[in-house]
Amino acid sequence: MSFTSARRLAAAFSLAVLFASAAHAGDVTFTVKNSHPNAMRLELYSQDRDYVWPGDGKDFYLDDGETKSLPISCNEGESICYGAWVDGDEGTYWGVGPGNKEKCDDCCYTCSGGETEEINLVP
């Protein structure tokens, strides 16, 4: 490989890394407190693409009284809504509920870096 070709390849690789990291520049941390007397499960749902955190058929688990910080990588400007439910009782839910199936007034956040205020899930 010639020196010029190697330089072009290195420049293309550098640009690819730059653009790939820019797509996730809006990482955000959700802080959630479970004030319900039972344990609950929670997922975060993108409203702009087919994506859920933590994904792979898993969810976040919060014991009763527990507060967790949930850092996620997301796309800058992406709308993300939380859905939480009592462990074993999907009929008792907060936000968009399990599977992102419900409507909510104030359970969505824009991915723009930083942290959300503490989301207190009360009975």
Side-chain angles (χ1 to χ4, degrees), residues 27-75:
D27 297 354
V28 66
T29 299
F30 281 74
T31 302
V32 183
K33 180 177 182 177
N34 177 6
S35 292
H36 195 276
N38 297 53
M40 68 174 53
R41 299 191 173 274
L42 181 135
E43 291 180 321
L44 302 169
Y45 303 98
S46 172
Q47 303 303 297
D48 301 314
R49 59 186 170 128
D50 185 21
Y51 200 83
V52 61
W53 293 267
D56 294 327
K58 298 177 184 171
D59 50 46
F60 298 108
Y61 183 86
L62 287 89
D63 276 322
D64 55 309
E66 182 177 17
T67 300
K68 273 193 179 175
S69 293
L70 310 170
I72 63 167
S73 293
C74 48
N75 296 330

Side-chain angles (χ1 to χ4, degrees), residues 1-10:
M1 179 184 293
S2 72
F3 179 72
T4 303
S5 296
R7 283 181 50 192
R8 286 183 185 156
L9 183 61

